[in-house]
């Protein structure tokens, strides 16, 4: 049915205005401490995607900056570097602190017997330098700032309090000074090593400026030259210009997208994750491991591929921060030869894989037809699903054709090598591990046949390859084999409780991973809105959720996202509230023995699912769903410039329980199909008259289709709801009194 097009009671697309004071808005999200944070889990964190520091008292009568650089490893494992300790002459009587998100700097006051010390600190957004600006009482001896080196040791052994063998011990550090810059040089195994350098000046009367950095050498000659030069360059700059250039980067970063929620705690948590992401990585800097630049004592000092790194990057896509996702893509691109060498030698001509964990080089073997212990086969395929999302939200066809397609072929060929026909004539997978599902009859992980985790990833990968082959008319000689495999592949195993772990293993004990539910989320191989698929999805989700004993934070965020897809809005929010109630540390970090950064970031991704969904059952399909996970109790929600699959930039406002408008820009020219949540008939306006039709989706639900072309923007509103200028303003919703600035000091 053709609907009204072109005229909207005087409203035009260019009348949508962003009514934002970013400084004020982010100030209500700042982390605020009214007493000294004693631990890493309570500290203020700063970073630029490579360098960083965690700031806290450490339970001492001083203030410390724990030094971090995310690529410094020994034998492939992250290591502690050291800390700078600030000690006033009379000691600290009390302390307050604030992490200013808008300016990406921590600042605070230290009350001492000699007066108040005011300080601020930031990791420069671009330059490889950390900065401390001190303003001290006149007439008092200046506070001492000293470097305390930590001898490098294997992190897992150190965590377990194991003795360190002589072979694992590194040479002692050496200290010196060059051109007024102090340094500590630490050689490591295999010719690696790092240098910490620092210096200070007092170019501005009443202020001391302290600078420190870390340089890292991988296999080359270790020298102090670059670290010293970085400090000298920073010291020569006009300090206020240094501050201004740092702030300019962040002031450009934040407005890439906007989201405001009526739940002030959740809103603050979300924006702290946006800060955390850009502090932890950049397009040309290392991918995020389990802790980013902020090392802490841990049994997990490298990259985990069976959940952690994938969830870490999920929020960058809808948040319109795809440049941050490039660091993950580069990790796979730069070392793909190592992924190939991870498979058995006889398959390396056409296959690739990755084991459960690895250093930054991606070296970790995967099993052949048989094996023992941990036998996760699908971790590279899952990582490539993130690669796929990077394409889906950007619409970059060359990235799809030249980047994902050849790598996904390698990942799928590994599966094809291990498939074998069974007595039922179907193709089956050999024993494998469904990530970390426990062995119900002993220790370690269960080994299962036809793991749902693997079957789901195999189905997704083969369907995606076929769709890409058709899209680019590639006539790939393997296409026939892919089709035959899908035709003959054994069904995903289910029982009376829903999806099983494997064909010989029901889901029978509490488990934190949702790997057995991959057909639902994130792969959407089954349709949450279909009367055929929905009962199985609901039964499976409910059965998993009925055994929460072993759940961890990401269990709650995954359950929230699945609930959003099912339209269980209240459940979706309750799962997120459950996560926020139980798991984040006062600074929003998250630990399970050691830091695991992915969980709070996955919460941000699940928040996106509340306000904007764009999953489709067709590989290149498009279906935007506006506010489909928002509960009735949330009367006001606003977002601007979030991204959707199919490369759409979307803004929308909900006020007094009603959607006021939806604005969509097409970045790639994909078909624009929207469940708008607008009441009544949908009207479009923009630079030309748009054709708006109402159709039904594959499940018989109404969907609005707009003839939107690449580069065009359309404004959608209701013909039945008159709009004011206020209705067309994108601005923060009213925050809840008492929960603003929720994070920082424990509450």
């Amino acid at each position: 049915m053709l609907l009204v097009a072109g005229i909207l009671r005087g409203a035009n697309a260019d009348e949508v205005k962003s009514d934002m004071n970013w400084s004020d808005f982010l100030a209500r999200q700042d982390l605020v401490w009214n007493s000294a944070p004693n631990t890493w889990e309570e500290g203020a964190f700063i970073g630029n995607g490579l360098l960083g520091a965690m700031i806290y008292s450490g339970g001492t009568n001083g203030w410390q900056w724990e030094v971090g650089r995310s690529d410094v490893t020994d034998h492939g494992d992250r290591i502690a570097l050291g800390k700078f300790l600030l000690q006033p002459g009379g000691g600290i009587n009390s302390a307050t602190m604030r992490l200013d998100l808008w300016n990406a700097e921590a600042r605070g006051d230290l009350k001492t017997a000699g007066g108040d010390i005011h300080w601020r600190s930031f990791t420069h957004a671009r330059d490889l330098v950390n900065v401390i600006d001190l303003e001290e009482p006149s007439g008092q001896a200046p506070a001492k700032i000293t470097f305390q080196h930590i001898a490098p040791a294997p992190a897992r052994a150190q965590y377990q309090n194991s003795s360190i063998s002589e072979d694992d011990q590194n040479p002692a550090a050496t200290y010196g000074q060059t051109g007024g810059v102090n340094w500590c040089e630490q050689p490591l195994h295999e010719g690696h090593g790092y240098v910490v350098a620092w210096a200070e000046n007092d170019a501005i009367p009443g202020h001391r400026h302290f600078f420190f950095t870390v340089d890292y050498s991988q296999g080359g000659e270790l020298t102090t030259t670059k670290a010293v030069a970085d400090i000298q360059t920073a010291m020569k700059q006009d300090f206020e210009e240094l501050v201004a250039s740092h702030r300019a980067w962040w002031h450009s970063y934040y407005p890439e997208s906007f989201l405001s929620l009526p739940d002030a705690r959740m809103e603050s948590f979300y924006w702290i994750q946006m800060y955390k992401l850009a502090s932890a990585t950049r397009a040309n800097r290392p991918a995020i491991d389990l802790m980013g630049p902020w090392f802490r004592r841990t049994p997990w000092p490298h990259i985990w591929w069976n959940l952690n790194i994938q969830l870490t990057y999920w929020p960058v896509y809808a948040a319109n921060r795809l440049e941050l996702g490039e660091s993950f893509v580069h990790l796979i691109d730069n070392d793909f030869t190592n992924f190939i060498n991870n498979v058995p030698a006889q398959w390396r001509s056409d296959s690739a894989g990755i084991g459960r964990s690895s250093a930054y080089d991606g070296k970790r073997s995967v099993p052949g037809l048989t094996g023992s212990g941990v036998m996760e086969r699908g971790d590279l395929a899952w990582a490539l699903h993130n690669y796929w999302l990077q394409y889906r939200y950007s619409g970059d066809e060359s990235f799809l054709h030249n980047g994902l397609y050849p790598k996904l072929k390698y990942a799928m060929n590994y599966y094809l090598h291990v498939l074998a026909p069974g007595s039922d004539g179907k193709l089956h997978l050999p024993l494998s591990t469904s990530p970390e599902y426990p062995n119900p009859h002993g220790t370690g992980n269960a080994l299962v046949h036809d793991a749902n985790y693997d079957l789901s990833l195999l189905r997704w990968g083969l369907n995606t390859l076929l769709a890409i082959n058709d899209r680019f008319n590639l006539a790939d000689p393997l296409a026939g084999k892919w089709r035959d495999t899908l035709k003959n592949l054994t069904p995903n195993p289910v029982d009376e409780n829903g999806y099983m772990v494997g064909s010989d293993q029901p889901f029978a004990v509490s488990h934190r991973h949702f790997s057995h539910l991959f057909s639902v989320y994130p792969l959407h191989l089954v349709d949450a809105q279909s009367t055929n698929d929905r009962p199985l999805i609901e039964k499976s989700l409910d059965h998993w959720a009925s055994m929460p004993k072993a759940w961890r934070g990401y269990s709650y965020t995954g359950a929230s996202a699945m609930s959003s897809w099912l339209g269980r809005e209240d459940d979706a929010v309750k799962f997120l509230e459950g996560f926020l109630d139980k798991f984040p540390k006062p600074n929003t970090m998250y630990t399970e023995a050691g830091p695991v950064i992915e969980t709070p970031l996955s919460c941000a991704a699940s928040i996106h699912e509340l306000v904007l969904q764009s999953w489709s059952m067709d590989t290149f399909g498009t279906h935007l769903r506006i506010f489909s996970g928002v509960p009735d109790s949330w009367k006001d929600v606003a977002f601007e410039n979030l991204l959707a699959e199919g490369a759409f930039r979307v803004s929308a406002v909900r006020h007094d329980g009603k959607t006021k408008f939806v604005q969509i820009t097409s970045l790639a020219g994909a078909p624009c199909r929207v469940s708008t949540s607008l009441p009544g008939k949908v009207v479009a306006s923009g630079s030309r008259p748009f054709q708006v039709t109402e159709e039904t989706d594959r499940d018989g639900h109404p969907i609005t289709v707009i003839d939107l072309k690449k580069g065009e923007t359309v404004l959608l509103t209701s013909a039945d709801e008159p709009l004011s200028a206020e209705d067309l303003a994108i601005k923060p919703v009213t925050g809840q009194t008492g929960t603003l600035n929720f994070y920082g000091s424990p509450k």
Side-chain angles (χ1 to χ4, degrees):
M1 179 178 65
L2 186 65
L3 299 182
V4 181
I7 301 174
L8 176 61
R9 299 187 178 175
N12 294 303
D14 59 3
E15 291 184 34
V16 174
K17 302 296 183 185
S18 181
D19 186 10
M20 281 293 301
N21 183 317
W22 276 97
S23 177
D24 288 349
F25 174 67
L26 287 178
R28 78 189 202 188
Q29 326 298 348
D30 288 350
L31 297 91
V32 176
W33 291 260
N34 51 31
S35 60
N38 291 323
T39 66
W40 183 96
E41 291 88 348
E42 298 173 347
F45 52 97
I46 55 176
N48 66 4
L50 181 60
L51 291 181
M54 185 68 79
I55 307 168
Y56 58 103
S57 74
T60 68
N61 200 12
W63 213 249
Q64 66 184 36
W65 278 253
E66 201 163 70
V67 181
R69 177 166 164 147
S70 55
D71 62 347
V72 177
T73 60
D74 185 30
H75 285 317
D77 287 350
R78 292 284 299 278
I79 54 175
L81 306 181
K83 59 187 177 183
F84 287 95
L85 184 62
L86 183 151
Q87 293 176 300
I92 299 172
N93 296 327
S94 64
T96 58
M97 183 167 65
R98 187 180 192 106
L99 183 53
D100 177 344
L101 298 182
W102 176 237
N103 292 314
E105 70 177 32
R107 61 177 182 268
D109 295 317
L110 307 176
K111 294 187 179 299
T112 76
D116 293 353
I117 297 174
H118 307 291
W119 63 270
R120 60 174 169 163
S121 184
F122 59 91
T123 306
H124 193 275
R126 181 192 64 241
D127 301 340
L128 296 182
V129 63
N130 296 283
V131 181
I132 305 172
D133 175 18
L134 290 176
E135 186 177 0
E136 300 174 283
S138 60
Q140 298 294 323
K144 293 181 180 179
I145 303 180
T146 56
F147 178 63
Q148 297 184 354
H149 176 250
I150 297 176
R156 185 180 285 269
Q158 201 169 48
Y159 181 85
Q160 296 169 343
N161 295 317
S162 303
S163 60
I164 309 300
S165 70
E166 194 168 316
D167 289 342
D168 284 332
Q169 294 177 11
N170 285 284
T174 58
Y175 298 81
Q177 187 180 87
T178 303
V181 177
N182 301 288
W183 48 262
C184 170
E185 183 178 281
Q186 175 61 66
L188 302 170
H189 297 103
E190 301 169 332
H192 298 186
Y194 68 87
V195 176
V196 179
W198 66 96
E200 66 175 87
N201 64 25
D202 53 2
I204 298 177
H207 290 258
R208 292 166 62 195
H209 296 144
F210 188 88
F211 305 86
F212 63 96
T213 193
V214 183
D215 186 40
Y216 179 47
S217 172
Q218 292 180 277
E221 183 181 358
L222 177 62
T223 71
T224 63
T225 304
K226 186 177 185 306
V228 168
D230 286 343
I231 295 295
Q232 291 174 332
T233 298
M235 293 177 69
K236 289 176 183 176
Q237 291 189 61
D238 178 88
F239 188 76
E240 292 307 320
E241 290 181 2
L242 187 71
V243 171
S245 61
H246 163 72
R247 291 181 175 181
W249 189 93
W250 284 94
H251 295 176
S252 176
Y253 165 77
Y254 283 118
E256 289 173 346
S257 65
F258 165 72
L259 173 63
S260 184
L261 308 172
D263 185 323
R265 178 180 64 161
M266 196 177 295
E267 180 183 85
S268 289
F269 190 89
Y270 175 85
W271 281 103
I272 295 165
Q273 305 323 300
M274 294 301 105
Y275 166 79
K276 187 184 294 178
L277 275 168
S279 300
T281 194
R282 301 290 172 77
N284 60 346
R285 290 180 174 169
I288 309 172
D289 56 13
L290 274 71
M291 63 192 85
W294 312 289
F295 182 88
R296 201 211 76 163
R297 179 179 171 88
T298 182
W300 303 309
H302 38 254
I303 292 173
W304 252 254
W305 293 89
N306 66 352
L307 175 140
N308 306 76
I309 197 165
Q310 291 90 339
L311 270 63
T312 294
Y313 280 88
W314 275 356
V316 306
Y317 310 118
N320 195 13
R321 304 184 193 279
L322 296 180
E323 73 281 0
L324 301 181
E326 291 177 22
S327 63
F328 181 63
V329 171
H330 294 159
L331 172 66
I332 296 175
D333 286 350
N334 294 342
D335 292 313
F336 201 71
T337 298
N338 291 337
F339 291 86
I340 293 172
N341 291 333
N342 287 334
V343 304
Q346 66 270 26
W347 298 341
R348 291 175 187 166
S349 63
D350 65 1
S351 302
I354 184 69
R356 175 173 289 184
S357 64
S358 78
Y360 282 104
D361 57 12
K363 294 180 180 179
R364 184 67 181 269
S365 63
V366 291
L369 288 169
T370 60
S372 61
V374 174
M375 297 212 302
E376 288 170 1
R377 300 182 184 274
D379 294 347
L380 177 58
W382 188 8
L384 291 176
H385 183 258
N386 279 57
Y387 206 119
W388 162 254
L389 292 175
Q390 187 83 14
Y391 155 72
R392 282 290 284 160
Y393 284 83
S394 71
D396 185 341
E397 297 289 304
S398 64
F399 179 84
L400 175 67
H401 182 282
N402 302 324
L404 176 65
Y405 187 66
K407 296 177 181 66
L408 189 56
K409 285 177 65 174
Y410 269 77
M412 291 300 103
N413 282 339
Y414 168 62
Y415 271 133
L416 296 181
H417 282 301
V418 301
L419 279 173
S423 58
D424 59 357
K426 294 291 186 181
L427 292 171
H428 294 267
L429 287 167
L431 285 173
S432 65
T433 304
S434 181
E436 301 182 26
Y437 186 84
N439 181 353
H441 308 296
T443 59
N445 299 152
L447 292 176
V448 302
H449 290 93
D450 293 327
N452 250 311
Y453 174 68
D454 290 305
L455 286 172
S456 299
L457 286 165
L458 176 56
R459 281 195 164 85
W460 167 77
L462 293 179
N463 277 308
T464 302
L465 286 175
L466 286 167
I468 298 171
N469 178 65
D470 293 344
R471 191 175 186 87
F472 296 114
N473 297 313
L474 299 177
D476 196 301
L478 288 174
K481 185 173 185 178
W482 299 335
R483 293 188 186 95
D484 288 344
T485 300
L486 287 169
K487 179 181 177 181
N488 296 305
L489 190 61
T490 189
N492 287 54
V494 298
D495 63 10
E496 67 276 7
N497 293 315
Y499 286 108
M500 303 169 68
V501 176
S503 60
D504 46 4
Q505 177 59 61
F507 188 87
V509 297
S510 181
H511 183 45
R512 58 189 181 176
H513 284 249
F514 47 87
S515 311
H516 67 298
L517 301 178
F518 263 29
S519 287
V520 183
Y521 179 77
L523 303 179
H524 50 71
L525 300 177
V526 288
D527 187 350
Q529 302 303 320
S530 164
T531 55
N532 291 326
D533 294 343
R534 187 181 180 95
L536 175 60
I537 296 171
E538 291 189 312
K539 180 165 54 177
S540 302
L541 173 59
D542 291 342
H543 182 60
W544 176 52
S546 72
M547 294 182 279
K549 182 179 179 179
W551 274 27
R552 295 297 181 263
Y554 53 76
S555 313
Y556 287 82
T557 65
S560 173
M562 284 182 255
S563 297
S564 288
W565 285 17
L566 286 164
R568 295 176 166 186
E569 301 95 339
D570 291 333
D571 285 350
V573 171
K574 285 177 182 177
F575 279 124
L576 291 181
E577 289 173 342
F579 163 70
L580 295 176
D581 288 343
K582 298 176 183 179
F583 293 99
K585 301 304 181 183
N587 60 3
T588 80
M589 292 294 183
Y590 174 83
T591 62
E592 292 178 19
V596 271
I597 202 171
E598 83 293 319
T599 294
L601 295 174
S602 73
C603 179
S606 295
I607 290 171
H608 290 146
E609 300 291 352
L610 299 176
V611 302
L612 175 65
Q613 296 172 31
S614 55
W615 56 274
S616 172
M617 293 302 297
D618 299 320
T619 304
F620 292 102
T622 52
H623 188 164
L624 283 60
R625 299 170 178 85
I626 313 301
F627 298 135
S628 58
V630 171
D632 291 341
S633 59
W634 283 16
K635 301 301 182 184
D636 298 334
V637 183
F639 67 85
E640 182 177 26
N641 292 337
L642 294 183
L643 289 184
E645 292 191 47
F648 297 97
R649 194 168 59 233
V650 188
S651 305
V653 166
R654 172 182 168 92
H655 185 59
D656 286 338
K658 292 183 179 180
T659 300
K660 295 299 182 180
F661 72 84
V662 179
Q663 188 175 58
I664 304 170
T665 299
S666 174
L667 304 178
C672 184
R673 307 171 73 250
V674 194
S675 297
T676 66
S677 73
L678 288 163
K681 290 186 176 181
V682 176
V683 180
S685 67
S687 60
R688 65 174 176 87
F690 289 99
Q691 179 174 303
V692 182
T693 57
E694 184 176 275
E695 302 176 3
T696 55
D697 66 15
R698 61 187 292 151
D699 301 317
H701 302 130
I703 187 169
T704 301
V705 181
I706 307 101
D707 66 328
L708 189 65
K709 297 180 174 60
K710 181 178 180 179
E712 291 184 333
T713 298
V714 66
L715 177 65
L716 304 178
T717 62
S718 170
D720 301 336
E721 293 283 332
L723 295 178
S724 65
E726 181 75 7
D727 292 325
L728 291 167
I730 302 174
K731 60 184 180 181
V733 304
T734 302
Q736 295 166 324
T737 304
T739 54
L740 302 179
N741 303 113
F742 183 85
Y743 294 96
S745 292
K747 299 178 179 64

